Amino acid sequence: MVLLGACSDEPSTAPPPAVLVVAGRQVDFVAELSAGFSDGVHRVSGVSSQTTGPGIVDNAAELRTIQGYLTGERGSLTLFTFAPELFADSLDKAAAAGTPVIALHSVPAPGSRVPLYIGNDNRQLGTWLGEAMANRMPADAKGVVILGSPHPGISVLDDRASGVREALQRLRPQVTVMGPFDTKQPPAPNMQAWRTLQAANPDALAFVGVGGQDAHNLAHLREPGTTRVDGGFGTDSDALKLAQDGSMLLVSTEPYLQGLLAGALQARHAKTGDPLPTGWLPTPGILINSSNAARVIARQATPAAKEAWFKASADMFLDDVDSHMRSMDDAR
């Protein structure tokens, strides 16, 4: 008994947990970020994983959540937020306190002093979708394309919208791109926004949304016999079925991979104390159409299939992170 008592008084040598703070845990792509983060942490033995934050998109609640992680006493932190500007002051204070922070999926706001951002080149992803949409239209196509965004003003979504617009205008100069209109993030308002836009523009050549909820509702609103090709982002199951039959074009930001890389890098830091990489770690997306939708559907079917799909990409990044880094100033 004396020996056990002596051991219990010794300070724990376990590294601090790797923590992911998110807004909207119930949002599909946020769940993908979280699943990837957990799997990434588990690549590093001896480090545990925690994911916390409000279930719905509640920026104020998320801001309250991170306050306990900013003192430098609880290790590092990975943060996904829909509102980077709101968090800039808190993250600046975290940096001053010595808390290493990884920004995930959303470009950190100026002044936040976040050393590492992991996310896509969203302008490029928008360009991919715009080019694919243009290639499904006649060369002399005339008419309007309606563009929607659930969060106008959020830089990553604005960059996607700009990429779509620029590609369509370049390849189909007689097509007018209208928007992006505010389609709202919550499911019901988003559905109503798209209903309104479709009712107001019954002859539109296409409807394109740059958020995951947009793709879900565009898929649900599609009526039998519709011939236009709509566009969206994400891997919503109903949208993927439409992509498989050629009725929709999608781009996935591959959030599982982003979360995995953040989890692995944060866990490495927690275990070894080595500094995090600095700058922007750009991660790939994928254009989904009738040629590959079935494979993506199979990938999304089980956690094991998803982990196997991304293993080679994750290994490539993690084996030589520095060679993939870019300047934070380039992030978009």
Side-chain angles (χ1 to χ4, degrees):
M1 295 295 292
V2 173
L3 179 59
L4 290 174
C7 289
S8 65
D9 290 337
E10 294 179 0
S12 171
T13 58
V19 178
L20 170 64
V21 178
V22 300
R25 285 181 290 107
Q26 299 170 6
V27 177
D28 286 347
F29 83 86
V30 179
E32 294 251 324
L33 287 172
S34 302
F37 184 83
S38 178
D39 288 348
V41 173
H42 292 157
R43 283 175 161 237
V44 181
S45 63
V47 182
S48 62
S49 170
Q50 294 179 6
T51 298
T52 187
I56 61 173
V57 179
D58 185 334
N59 296 321
E62 186 185 22
L63 187 60
R64 291 192 297 271
T65 299
I66 70 166
Q67 298 309 310
Y69 296 94
L70 305 182
T71 62
E73 299 173 355
R74 300 178 69 173
S76 54
L77 171 73
T78 296
L79 175 70
F80 164 70
T81 177
F82 286 96
E85 291 80 6
L86 181 64
F87 288 74
D89 182 65
S90 292
L91 295 179
D92 179 65
K93 292 176 181 175
T99 301
V101 178
I102 300 174
L104 190 58
H105 200 76
S106 292
V107 180
S112 56
R113 289 202 288 170
V114 172
L116 174 60
Y117 164 57
I118 299 175
N120 307 107
D121 182 334
N122 285 277
R123 182 70 61 88
Q124 180 185 66
L125 298 190
T127 298
W128 288 355
L129 183 58
E131 289 176 344
M133 299 288 297
N135 289 332
R136 294 293 299 273
M137 299 174 186
D140 60 350
K142 297 179 181 179
V144 300
V145 170
I146 302 300
L147 191 57
S149 170
H151 288 284
I154 297 296
S155 62
V156 294
L157 299 181
D158 289 350
D159 283 333
R160 292 178 198 173
S162 295
V164 171
R165 176 189 299 279
E166 291 166 3
L168 282 168
Q169 291 177 336
R170 170 169 45 87
L171 296 174
R172 297 294 181 266
Q174 298 183 86
V175 170
T176 300
V177 181
M178 299 176 62
F181 296 94
D182 185 357
T183 54
K184 313 297 183 186
Q185 175 63 38
N190 183 276
M191 177 71 84
Q192 185 56 50
W194 282 112
R195 280 200 177 105
T196 300
L197 287 168
Q198 291 190 354
N201 301 276
D203 298 321
L205 298 174
F207 294 88
V208 184
V210 296
Q213 191 63 49
D214 295 324
H216 173 81
N217 283 331
L218 283 171
H220 275 258
L221 287 171
R222 193 173 182 88
E223 296 180 355
T226 302
T227 58
R228 68 170 188 268
V229 178
D230 292 328
F233 281 76
T235 54
D236 173 77
S237 58
D238 294 317
L240 281 172
K241 292 174 185 176
L242 292 178
Q244 188 174 12
D245 71 22
S247 305
M248 199 166 191
L249 291 163
L250 297 171
V251 169
S252 171
T253 60
E254 306 294 64
Y256 176 90
L257 177 62
Q258 295 176 18
L260 188 156
L261 296 175
L265 291 172
Q266 191 181 339
R268 283 181 182 178
H269 169 77
K271 186 170 184 176
T272 67
D274 292 341
L276 293 170
T278 57
W280 171 32
L281 180 58
T283 56
I286 181 175
L287 177 69
I288 305 171
N289 54 30
S290 58
S291 70
N292 63 353
R295 296 196 300 275
V296 175
I297 290 170
R299 174 194 89 183
Q300 296 295 111
T302 67
K306 197 176 299 180
E307 187 173 5
W309 175 289
F310 287 107
K311 184 181 185 305
S313 293
D315 289 345
M316 177 191 70
F317 278 102
L318 294 171
D319 287 347
D320 188 10
V321 176
D322 289 344
S323 70
H324 298 282
M325 297 301 299
R326 291 174 58 181
S327 168
M328 187 75 81
D329 294 338
D330 295 336
R332 57 185 187 178

